[in-house]
Amino acid sequence: MQNPRQTYRLRARASGREAVAPAEPGGVYVDRETGEEMEPVTAVLPMAPSASALLRTPDNLRACRRCDQLIGVDVSDCPYCGLRQPPLA
Ligand SMILES: [Zn+2]
């Protein structure tokens, strides 16, 4: 399960409204509510391609019980040591 798409923080210049979404070079992104064009301002973790499709926030992470690395809760095998992860409770 590899996530090939990079997620970015997008910002509308005039209002400063922000969104987090996958983006591609040359794409045009429009705020659904205001119609403003949004520009990618920074890539967010994890960097693509990654084993996890979830943003790297505390809620989306757990520690591998063998190697203690933080990994996405949506990852079935630890990308560092390969250990199969138990299902979430
Ligand atoms: Zn591990």
Side-chain angles (χ1 to χ4, degrees):
M1 182 172 68
Q2 285 275 316
N3 177 42
R5 302 185 72 194
Q6 179 61 49
T7 301
Y8 291 87
R9 181 178 301 279
L10 307 170
R11 186 177 299 144
R13 230 174 240 228
S15 67
R17 283 170 57 89
E18 293 194 339
V20 173
E24 305 289 341
V28 175
Y29 301 93
V30 175
D31 187 321
R32 191 180 296 158
E33 289 178 30
T34 66
E36 289 178 280
E37 188 166 334
M38 305 187 91
E39 304 171 324
V41 288
T42 187
V44 297
L45 295 174
M47 297 300 286
S50 65
S52 174
L54 299 173
L55 295 184
R56 237 172 128 78
T57 63
D59 285 353
N60 290 339
L61 295 170
R62 62 176 162 180
C64 173
R65 66 183 190 278
R66 181 195 282 160
C67 72
D68 235 19
Q69 291 289 327
L70 289 174
I71 60 178
V73 295
D74 59 342
V75 172
S76 57
D77 298 295
C78 175
Y80 300 98
C81 73
L83 183 70
R84 172 73 56 169
Q85 299 300 304
L88 292 171

